[in-house]
Amino acid sequence: MSLTQLEAARSGQITPEMAFCAEREKLDAELVRAEVAAGRMVIPANKVHLAGRLQPMAIGIAATCKINANIGNSAVTSDADGELDKLHQSLHFGADTVMDLSTGKDIDRIRKAIIDASPVPIGTVPIYQMLEELGGNIEDMKPQHFLDMVEHQAKQGVDYMTVHCGVLMEHLHLTTGRVTGIVSRGGSLIAKWMIAHRKQNPLYEHFDELCEIMRQYDVTWSLGDGLRPGSLADASDAAQFAELEVLGHLVQRSWQIGSQVMVEGPGHIPMDQIEMNIKKQIEICHGAPFYVLGPLVIDIGPGYDHITSAIGAAMAGWYGAAMLCYVTPKEHLGLPDREDVRQGVIAYKIAAHAADVARKRPGARDRDDAISKARFEFDWNEQFRLALDPERAREYHDQTLPQEPFKEAHFCSMCGPKYCSMKITEDIRQMADQAELVSLSTDGSVDLSTASRTN
Amino acid sequence: MSLTQLEAARSGQITPEMAFCAEREKLDAELVRAEVAAGRMVIPANKVHLAGRLQPMAIGIAATCKINANIGNSAVTSDADGELDKLHQSLHFGADTVMDLSTGKDIDRIRKAIIDASPVPIGTVPIYQMLEELGGNIEDMKPQHFLDMVEHQAKQGVDYMTVHCGVLMEHLHLTTGRVTGIVSRGGSLIAKWMIAHRKQNPLYEHFDELCEIMRQYDVTWSLGDGLRPGSLADASDAAQFAELEVLGHLVQRSWQIGSQVMVEGPGHIPMDQIEMNIKKQIEICHGAPFYVLGPLVIDIGPGYDHITSAIGAAMAGWYGAAMLCYVTPKEHLGLPDREDVRQGVIAYKIAAHAADVARKRPGARDRDDAISKARFEFDWNEQFRLALDPERAREYHDQTLPQEPFKEAHFCSMCGPKYCSMKITEDIRQMADQAELVSLSTDGSVDLSTASRTN
């Protein structure tokens, strides 16, 4: 049987996937191997998907910060064509991975179409399809059902799977005082199963067998945070951290068995608690890559939660999260459509890039410096080209100054020609050179301790 | 002559304006007085505007974080009606102050209309109208011109004014190596004047006289940061901090003369430098309220700079900035329209609220807790009511489930009824009560050190 990326890395091999990621990340291939071997980096690359279109993607603190876009239909709305369209939209604007969270009709067909079409890793939450097959009654699930479902999806080529193994019976009483209870869909389903059966979480009990399936296809774990907080009121509470301890143990077991693993995180967290949350997760989970959902830093922004969460996501990425799961403007309100996907992806490209810049990842600021130079030189087409969303930037510019001459104009409609500070700076630079400015600066130098009172 | 808020506070008086702000901020009136007396809080309330519609607003670290919306026409686009509409839009979505940055036609008429209509403090940048009157040639400005213009606008009732007194001749040579030069419109105009005349900044030279005008009407200084960085490449450079030192001195002079003062800040700053920038400003400017523009944390987001900057603004507010100047999606591209104003204001309400929550200002989280409770109870109408933008939240919800029954539904189209985690949590709570959950938790408790391998 072939090795997982983790096993290969440990045995000293630089796989073609590691070499590809090293090239893409501008990192040394040996560094990539060492990070994968240490578990600090994952390359979610199901062998089936790898035989198809997949271009491997490295997720870990040594690589650039990644973003995931969630797509997938719900029972209420959307279909396969709509979801493929969202996949293309996600990729067009730069999603690094895509999760298919379909819970409606045609789950298998939609997933297959997405995997076939996708060059980026595809993630799923297998319990969703499980519930569909059970006709909506999670209580009817047998552990073997679930193992079969994971194997079924692994065979289809899913690169990483969110499984809620860390929600334990002994944690449930910690959630009863919460304002928003259990907000993870998978987490709440597992909790319901446990209470119905008065039995421990079967995904926890069968963790090792699940690892064996993961290992066979090299599916990467995304250990779900079933008890993540769904409101500021519930942030950083006992339930959240009790589960995190379990996830830390599961990371070690996964590594022992040879399957790759990353860990999911909250959710809703005020700004002042984000650093603590990230540091704690990295420590408790032994450096496994942290994959955060937002976090949203306030609760009162429905309709704008791509922004409330991009703030938290940028900070999380700066503090060390490896991947940011996007949130769209429709969060808490409805299923995202293609424009929501665009808004979500761009908000998260912003957050991830801000994190790369703040962490001073090599070359992170090059594109910023290039666009700033183009801005100063009034090279509008180059500004559009370097923008995260060139079409939108051009569209906004052209709303007021659509005519071709204005693509060369040394101003835009914000200030107009007379008030453009960059135009004025150009004038200044023609009026005096550096040497002259230096001489002027030493001429009549001012005593700052008292602003002079002249008339 | 009547006293400024600063002078009154120092003399131990709690003015009606302080009392009003204390009530609004849920602060002790004596605390407000003490903060105003110390210069850590300003209440920009021109006596003329106060005789009109103004409802005084406190800006300072002890108060909630404020946001400003910039409106105003440019030579290229918009008119008085359009600007009044933007004022209403700003107020509707919660702007705490509004700056009229008009640079096109009818400046006086637009400003008067805005002041007459506005219950919030209005700010201006007097050099813009100055330049209009000079026909576009700043070199023709005489110092008295400028003093007259400030007095003219003070008489109209402007509550605070951005004046670029801190850009000195000896700083200009520090900007020549910059990627984006001088990006403040006022700063670049003053620099041009200085180079044309080979003379020191006249607004610096006449600072005390300007203070006297400010004091007479109780106009608050907003000391402009003419040399703020306009790109990540120029952030935290020698030019920026050289000017900041001057602003610190001007704060002290303003206080000596009795005029209220706040200080403007950058601009474009990577996340890892924001805390240092805020701390440094507060220290160098002796605690005068800091009024920041963003900062944008990356440069490559044109079309989305309300988001790139809301990230920086939220962090700045958390670290201690007192007011956040909004940025709209049109930044760097064109003049904002009414939808841009809405997007900018909401993005900044998010940032300011996130800062209030993170700083643990009293009661800051109440509305979040209330919306989370409504969310858990599926009280959709209450969620919309508590949202920062109720109309948009409702509109997004209704895009997929517009019918009236769904306003009572225990799900939305994001997950549908079967997958709603909050619905499932409801079920769970009916299946077992707290006492039973506690007993279950101690029943078959699991040894976390080894996840059991059961079959």
Side-chain angles (χ1 to χ4, degrees):
Chain A
M1 201 177 85
S2 66
L3 302 177
T4 63
Q5 298 292 334
L6 174 60
E7 292 167 324
R10 282 177 184 159
S11 74
Q13 283 180 55
I14 294 172
T15 63
E17 294 74 35
M18 293 175 209
F20 183 90
C21 290
E23 179 87 15
R24 176 184 264 190
E25 300 282 340
K26 299 187 189 75
L27 293 174
D28 191 76
E30 171 52 27
L31 174 76
V32 170
R33 187 206 61 74
E35 289 292 301
V36 172
R40 276 191 304 270
M41 182 181 284
V42 295
I43 300 178
N46 184 312
K47 294 171 196 299
V48 176
H49 196 191
L50 209 47
R53 290 203 180 193
L54 181 66
Q55 298 178 346
M57 183 73 68
I59 302 167
I61 199 166
T64 54
C65 190
K66 300 302 186 293
I67 72 158
N68 172 69
N70 287 335
I71 63 171
N73 70 352
S74 78
V76 181
T77 178
S78 188
D79 58 14
D81 284 350
E83 295 312 313
L84 273 181
D85 183 48
K86 288 185 203 166
L87 171 70
H88 294 307
Q89 184 85 335
S90 302
L91 298 178
H92 178 72
F93 290 107
D96 299 299
T97 79
V98 170
M99 289 192 84
D100 171 19
L101 304 185
S102 290
T103 57
K105 287 176 196 146
D106 276 342
I107 289 192
D108 265 325
R109 198 167 64 86
I110 291 176
R111 185 183 312 113
K112 187 173 183 321
I114 287 173
I115 292 170
D116 285 352
S118 176
V120 304
I122 296 297
T124 59
V125 185
I127 204 168
Y128 297 167
Q129 189 177 4
M130 183 82 261
L131 188 66
E132 282 308 302
E133 296 202 349
L134 294 169
N137 297 312
I138 195 66
E139 303 89 317
D140 298 342
M141 182 179 79
K142 301 263 184 294
Q144 190 59 45
H145 274 152
F146 190 80
L147 293 169
D148 292 347
M149 178 56 70
V150 167
E151 183 152 25
H152 167 69
Q153 297 199 3
K155 269 187 189 153
Q156 281 191 312
V158 170
D159 300 293
Y160 67 94
M161 292 188 201
T162 296
V163 185
H164 299 86
C165 307
V167 183
L168 299 190
M169 183 69 100
E170 44 271 62
H171 301 156
L172 299 184
H173 73 101
L174 298 173
T175 68
T176 48
R178 280 183 157 187
V179 172
T180 43
I182 301 176
V183 297
S184 149
R185 300 193 287 198
S188 63
L189 290 167
I190 288 297
K192 193 173 181 184
W193 189 96
M194 287 193 280
I195 295 175
H197 293 276
R198 296 335 198 224
K199 276 191 182 161
Q200 187 55 281
N201 180 347
L203 317 185
Y204 175 81
E205 297 279 345
H206 294 270
F207 185 76
D208 290 2
E209 289 150 273
L210 288 167
C211 282
E212 288 296 346
I213 301 169
M214 308 296 260
R215 189 163 74 101
Q216 197 180 337
Y217 295 87
D218 201 2
V219 178
T220 298
W221 281 104
S222 184
L223 292 177
D225 53 336
L227 301 184
R228 68 172 171 267
S231 55
L232 297 184
D234 297 341
S236 308
D237 73 351
Q240 180 193 332
F241 289 134
E243 183 185 25
L244 185 60
E245 292 285 344
V246 182
L247 298 182
H249 289 285
L250 295 179
V251 163
Q252 289 186 306
R253 282 208 71 73
S254 175
W255 284 346
Q256 280 165 24
I257 296 171
S259 47
Q260 299 191 88
V261 57
M262 57 184 171
V263 179
E264 296 185 10
H268 292 236
I269 301 279
M271 280 194 291
D272 58 306
Q273 295 175 21
I274 295 176
E275 181 171 18
M276 176 272 284
N277 267 270
I278 305 291
K279 299 267 153 82
K280 201 175 172 87
Q281 188 278 344
I282 291 175
E283 186 192 325
I284 291 177
C285 294
H286 316 284
F290 198 18
Y291 170 27
V292 291
L293 177 68
L296 285 71
V297 296
I298 62 169
D299 298 335
I300 60 173
Y304 298 84
D305 279 331
H306 60 312
I307 302 179
T308 68
S309 67
I311 294 169
M315 293 173 70
W318 172 32
Y319 294 133
M323 184 155 75
L324 313 174
C325 183
Y326 89 169
V327 171
T328 79
K330 288 282 168 58
E331 185 75 15
H332 300 115
L333 296 169
L335 195 74
D337 62 20
R338 73 192 313 274
E339 177 60 21
D340 297 317
V341 169
R342 178 186 194 166
Q343 292 290 326
V345 170
I346 296 290
Y348 275 69
K349 291 300 281 186
I350 289 169
H353 185 64
D356 288 340
V357 166
R359 287 191 73 87
K360 301 185 175 63
R361 291 196 165 106
R365 226 188 59 194
D366 294 352
R367 190 165 157 189
D368 300 271
D369 293 350
I371 204 172
S372 296
K373 186 166 173 288
R375 191 167 277 153
F376 193 69
E377 290 168 352
F378 299 98
D379 186 342
W380 290 99
N381 287 319
E382 182 70 354
Q383 286 181 66
F384 302 149
R385 191 182 72 79
L386 289 165
L388 286 172
D389 185 348
E391 296 110 292
R392 182 79 12 117
R394 183 183 295 273
E395 175 193 331
Y396 281 177
H397 174 271
D398 290 0
Q399 272 177 18
T400 43
L401 296 174
Q403 304 87 334
E404 200 44 50
F406 293 116
K407 296 288 160 38
E408 318 254 302
H410 282 211
F411 62 90
C412 73
S413 74
M414 183 160 188
C415 305
K418 244 186 339 200
Y419 289 88
C420 177
S421 61
M422 295 201 184
K423 173 75 184 71
I424 299 168
T425 301
E426 277 188 345
D427 296 345
I428 293 172
R429 290 190 179 175
Q430 279 164 14
M431 290 162 69
D433 65 11
Q434 170 71 0
E436 193 170 2
L437 288 174
V438 170
S439 80
L440 283 169
S441 83
T442 50
D443 250 17
S445 95
V446 178
D447 177 7
L448 287 184
S449 60
T450 51
S452 57
R453 187 171 188 133
T454 30
N455 285 296
Chain B
M1 201 178 86
S2 65
L3 301 177
T4 64
Q5 298 291 334
L6 174 61
E7 291 166 325
R10 282 179 184 157
S11 74
Q13 283 180 54
I14 294 172
T15 62
E17 294 73 35
M18 293 174 207
F20 182 90
C21 291
E23 179 85 16
R24 177 184 261 187
E25 300 282 341
K26 300 187 189 74
L27 293 173
D28 191 75
E30 171 52 27
L31 175 76
V32 170
R33 188 207 60 76
E35 289 293 300
V36 172
R40 276 191 303 270
M41 182 182 283
V42 295
I43 300 179
N46 185 313
K47 293 171 197 296
V48 177
H49 196 193
L50 208 47
R53 292 207 176 191
L54 181 66
Q55 300 179 345
M57 184 72 69
I59 301 167
I61 198 165
T64 54
C65 189
K66 300 301 185 293
I67 72 157
N68 171 70
N70 287 336
I71 62 170
N73 71 351
S74 78
V76 180
T77 179
S78 189
D79 58 14
D81 284 350
E83 295 313 312
L84 272 181
D85 183 49
K86 287 185 202 166
L87 171 70
H88 294 308
Q89 183 85 337
S90 302
L91 299 178
H92 178 73
F93 291 106
D96 300 298
T97 79
V98 169
M99 290 192 83
D100 171 18
L101 303 186
S102 290
T103 56
K105 285 176 198 145
D106 275 341
I107 288 191
D108 265 322
R109 199 166 64 85
I110 291 176
R111 185 183 311 115
K112 186 169 184 324
I114 287 174
I115 291 170
D116 285 352
S118 176
V120 304
I122 297 296
T124 59
V125 185
I127 204 168
Y128 296 168
Q129 190 177 3
M130 184 83 260
L131 188 65
E132 282 309 302
E133 296 202 347
L134 294 169
N137 296 313
I138 195 65
E139 302 89 317
D140 297 343
M141 181 179 78
K142 301 262 184 295
Q144 191 58 46
H145 273 150
F146 190 80
L147 294 169
D148 292 347
M149 177 56 69
V150 166
E151 184 152 26
H152 166 69
Q153 297 199 2
K155 269 187 189 152
Q156 280 191 313
V158 171
D159 299 293
Y160 66 93
M161 293 187 199
T162 296
V163 185
H164 299 87
C165 306
V167 183
L168 299 190
M169 183 69 101
E170 43 272 63
H171 302 157
L172 299 183
H173 74 100
L174 299 173
T175 68
T176 47
R178 281 182 154 186
V179 172
T180 43
I182 301 176
V183 297
S184 150
R185 298 192 288 197
S188 63
L189 289 168
I190 288 298
K192 194 174 180 183
W193 189 98
M194 287 193 279
I195 295 175
H197 293 276
R198 281 8 189 206
K199 276 191 182 161
Q200 187 55 285
N201 180 347
L203 317 185
Y204 176 81
E205 298 280 345
H206 295 269
F207 185 75
D208 290 2
E209 288 150 275
L210 287 166
C211 282
E212 289 295 348
I213 301 169
M214 307 298 260
R215 188 162 74 101
Q216 197 181 336
Y217 296 86
D218 200 3
V219 178
T220 298
W221 281 104
S222 184
L223 293 176
D225 54 334
L227 300 183
R228 68 172 172 269
S231 55
L232 297 184
D234 297 340
S236 308
D237 73 352
Q240 180 192 332
F241 289 134
E243 183 185 24
L244 185 60
E245 291 286 344
V246 181
L247 298 182
H249 288 285
L250 296 180
V251 163
Q252 289 187 305
R253 282 208 70 73
S254 175
W255 285 346
Q256 279 165 23
I257 296 172
S259 48
Q260 299 190 86
V261 56
M262 57 184 171
V263 180
E264 297 184 10
H268 292 237
I269 300 279
M271 282 194 289
D272 59 306
Q273 295 176 20
I274 295 175
E275 182 172 17
M276 175 273 283
N277 267 270
I278 305 291
K279 298 268 153 79
K280 202 177 173 87
Q281 188 279 343
I282 290 174
E283 187 192 324
I284 291 177
C285 294
H286 316 284
F290 198 18
Y291 170 29
V292 290
L293 176 68
L296 286 71
V297 295
I298 63 170
D299 298 334
I300 60 173
Y304 299 83
D305 279 331
H306 59 312
I307 302 179
T308 66
S309 66
I311 294 170
M315 294 174 69
W318 172 32
Y319 295 132
M323 184 154 75
L324 313 174
C325 183
Y326 89 170
V327 171
T328 79
K330 289 281 168 60
E331 184 75 15
H332 300 115
L333 296 169
L335 195 73
D337 61 21
R338 74 190 312 272
E339 176 60 21
D340 297 317
V341 169
R342 178 187 195 165
Q343 293 289 327
V345 170
I346 295 290
Y348 275 69
K349 292 299 280 184
I350 289 169
H353 184 65
D356 288 340
V357 166
R359 288 192 73 86
K360 301 184 176 61
R361 292 198 164 104
R365 226 189 57 195
D366 293 352
R367 189 166 159 189
D368 300 271
D369 293 351
I371 205 173
S372 295
K373 186 166 173 287
R375 191 167 275 155
F376 193 67
E377 289 168 354
F378 299 99
D379 187 342
W380 289 99
N381 287 318
E382 182 70 355
Q383 285 180 69
F384 302 149
R385 191 183 72 79
L386 289 164
L388 286 172
D389 185 347
E391 295 111 292
R392 182 82 10 119
R394 184 183 294 272
E395 174 194 331
Y396 281 177
H397 175 271
D398 290 1
Q399 272 178 16
T400 44
L401 296 175
Q403 304 89 335
E404 201 44 49
F406 293 117
K407 296 286 155 46
E408 316 252 300
H410 283 210
F411 62 91
C412 73
S413 73
M414 184 161 187
C415 306
K418 246 186 340 199
Y419 289 88
C420 177
S421 61
M422 297 203 183
K423 173 75 184 71
I424 299 168
T425 302
E426 278 188 343
D427 297 345
I428 292 171
R429 291 189 179 176
Q430 279 163 14
M431 291 162 70
D433 65 12
Q434 170 72 1
E436 194 171 1
L437 288 175
V438 170
S439 80
L440 284 170
S441 84
T442 51
D443 251 19
S445 96
V446 178
D447 177 8
L448 288 183
S449 61
T450 53
S452 58
R453 185 166 190 139
T454 31
N455 287 294

